[in-house]
Amino acid sequence: MTSCGDLRILFRAAAGPRRGYGHLVRCRSLARALGVRPLLALRGGRRVMDTAVALGCDVVSGSPARALWRLGPDVLVVDDPIAADARRWIRAARRVDCLVVSIHDLGLGCLDADLVVDGSITNHARVRNGLTLAGPKDAVLDPGVRDTVGPVLSDGPIRDPYSVLVALGGGPRAELANDIAEAIVESNPQARVRIAGGFEGLPPEDAARIAWIGPTRNLNTELARASIAVVGAGVSLYETCAHGVAAVGVPVVAAQSPTVTASVKR
């Protein structure tokens, strides 16, 4: 069998100020886990492409047919919740005899793949004619989670009991994150809040006991130090749980509400 490091894998992901960068970051995390260079075809604007390059990814352009014919990948990994766009890439991959892996949240997206991976806690995708990996045990997380759990004692990692991380993404969600942070420090004079503002827009100036974190490749270091994390109900929620941090899930889009509800029940 061909080892992962010898495979040419093309990732197709959607990202942007409204959708966020979770799909892009998840593709990068999967590439790291497989030991391959993250080669991405992106659905997004110029800023999305610049962000991907800053994260260490190689970005390719062109139509699905042209990009796949030119690169000749062994595997196409699609991480896009819009089924129509994902289907275009999957059909083009079939024409060049390329294996297709499709990554999902809440069962959203095109299911016509050889392998479907949906790590959602609820509403799993189910592939029609291939293999399905479903449930939180198959969630795609940054491999650095294993290395950043913090100093460990017999009763668990040492954490700052008053450190709170707020990570809702950038763009229009930054104002909400700032409002939450201000409410936290007002209610507890010992609380210290760090806000991960994502990749879109400039953060406000730091305030008393509130610090803004610039764009970062992952939240592992921040999650290793925090005792509570206020996060959107996407990949960040699953990473928070993997770190063993108390999580407050905020559905930043309506489709994330089932994830928060199911996580609370678990």
Side-chain angles (χ1 to χ4, degrees):
M1 294 178 65
T2 304
S3 68
C4 289
D6 294 327
L7 290 173
R8 178 180 286 267
I9 303 176
L10 175 63
F11 297 85
R12 169 66 175 179
R18 293 183 63 86
R19 188 172 301 282
Y21 286 78
H23 302 285
L24 188 163
V25 171
R26 182 160 55 188
C27 284
R28 179 183 175 275
S29 296
L30 182 56
R32 289 188 64 202
L34 294 172
V36 300
R37 179 91 176 156
L39 180 64
L40 272 78
L42 294 168
R43 182 164 66 83
R46 180 75 253 173
R47 181 172 292 184
V48 171
M49 297 182 185
D50 291 343
T51 299
V53 171
L55 287 171
C57 304
D58 293 328
V59 178
V60 301
S61 59
S63 67
R66 178 171 297 181
L68 288 161
W69 179 83
R70 184 174 73 249
L71 295 169
D74 303 294
V75 182
L76 172 69
V77 176
V78 179
D79 193 341
D80 192 328
I82 303 301
D85 189 85
R87 189 171 291 110
R88 289 173 53 237
W89 282 84
I90 291 173
R91 286 175 176 170
R94 299 293 188 204
R95 297 189 192 105
V96 296
D97 197 25
C98 180
L99 188 73
V100 178
V101 177
S102 189
I103 303 178
H104 296 255
D105 298 298
L106 304 171
L108 301 175
C110 181
L111 305 179
D112 298 328
D114 299 295
L115 171 64
V116 161
V117 181
D118 190 335
S120 304
I121 198 168
T122 186
N123 298 348
H124 311 304
R126 294 290 175 182
V127 69
R128 295 188 177 93
N129 299 308
L131 176 66
T132 297
L133 299 177
K137 70 182 187 307
D138 293 311
V140 178
L141 306 181
D142 187 277
V145 168
R146 294 178 303 226
D147 305 321
T148 51
V149 293
V152 177
L153 296 176
S154 59
D155 56 349
I158 302 171
R159 298 183 184 277
D160 180 344
Y162 297 103
S163 178
V164 181
L165 173 67
V166 180
L168 302 180
R173 301 171 188 126
E175 185 176 349
L176 173 60
N178 193 62
D179 290 343
I180 292 173
E182 289 179 347
I184 291 171
V185 297
E186 183 179 350
S187 65
N188 189 319
Q190 293 177 288
R192 293 175 295 277
V193 181
R194 293 171 65 81
I195 303 175
F199 299 100
E200 288 286 339
L202 295 175
E205 293 184 2
D206 290 355
R209 294 183 287 125
I210 299 175
W212 284 79
I213 306 163
T216 179
R217 297 189 175 195
N218 59 64
L219 294 174
N220 290 326
T221 301
E222 296 298 330
L223 287 169
R225 68 188 291 175
S227 288
I228 300 172
V230 182
V231 294
V235 174
S236 296
L237 178 59
Y238 294 92
E239 290 184 341
T240 300
C241 294
H243 275 273
V245 179
V248 178
V250 179
V252 294
V253 295
Q256 291 183 349
S257 294
T259 299
V260 174
T261 301
S263 298
V264 170
K265 290 180 178 178
R266 289 283 189 98

